[in-house]
Amino acid sequence: LARLAPNGKVAILFSDIEGSTALNERMGDRAWVKLLDRHDRLVQRCVKAHHGHVVKSQGDGYMIAFAQPTQAVRCSVDMQRALGRQTDGIRVRIGIHTGRSVRRGDDLFGRNVAMAARVAAQADGGQILVSEPVRDAITDEDGIVFDDGRDADHVHPARR
């Protein structure tokens, strides 16, 4: 983590499975754990391919750090595409924000971490939401396309 963000600036991705509690109840514990294992392997594969670092995971959710916003977005797109090809029907919501954070051991803290969590909380299953600073950091050369977005003033700080 220290090598990934020597100056403290990282892109933080939060993800979680939409409706996981209800899904667990419908599937039963054994099937749920098998589904989580497949999901975990998929996430780990995508994170490794895009040079990210899993900061922590809990249940069906992840906090992942990347040196650059483009890596986080590309990882998210790959995750959603791979999930879309699976037949288990899980939908993952993903939110990404970038900024300085404070590293304490193997964890990250600060307002930008909280912002990334808030962006993720606004996403629906199957969706990737990014904050304005992430969108602004992505250039046309990166080959990433955004839709028109939506107004969520309470999600990102106003910039003037």
Side-chain angles (χ1 to χ4, degrees), residues 3-145:
R3 284 191 311 270
L4 183 76
N7 65 356
K9 187 168 184 181
V10 291
I12 299 170
L13 180 160
F14 276 95
S15 74
D16 77 316
I17 297 174
E18 181 180 59
S20 59
T21 302
L23 192 55
N24 183 357
E25 288 179 20
R26 276 198 315 275
M27 297 178 77
D29 289 339
R30 284 187 193 274
W32 174 247
V33 169
K34 286 181 182 179
L35 183 139
L36 279 180
D37 286 344
R38 284 193 309 276
H39 174 257
D40 291 350
R41 285 192 303 272
L42 182 151
V43 170
Q44 295 286 346
R45 200 168 47 248
C46 290
V47 169
K48 183 177 180 183
H50 294 281
H51 310 288
H53 174 79
V54 173
V55 177
K56 55 186 161 187
S57 67
Q58 183 174 357
D60 62 308
Y62 279 88
M63 177 184 172
I64 306 165
F66 295 87
Q68 300 296 324
T70 53
Q71 295 169 310
V73 173
R74 289 184 197 285
C75 180
S76 299
V77 169
D78 285 355
M79 284 171 52
Q80 292 293 24
R81 284 182 179 154
L83 287 164
R85 290 190 297 268
Q86 293 183 355
T87 58
D88 50 31
I90 65 169
R91 293 170 46 87
V92 172
R93 55 182 157 236
I94 297 174
I96 306 168
H97 180 63
T98 189
R100 295 202 187 285
S101 62
V102 175
R103 185 175 58 86
R104 189 173 88 187
D106 289 331
D107 206 348
L108 295 172
F109 295 89
R111 61 188 170 89
N112 287 309
V113 173
M115 183 61 66
R118 286 200 299 275
V119 172
Q122 296 288 318
D124 295 324
Q127 196 172 48
I128 303 164
L129 291 184
V130 303
S131 65
E132 190 174 358
V134 170
R135 187 192 66 210
D136 291 349
I138 307 286
T139 66
D140 290 340
E141 294 85 47
D142 293 321
I144 298 169
V145 179

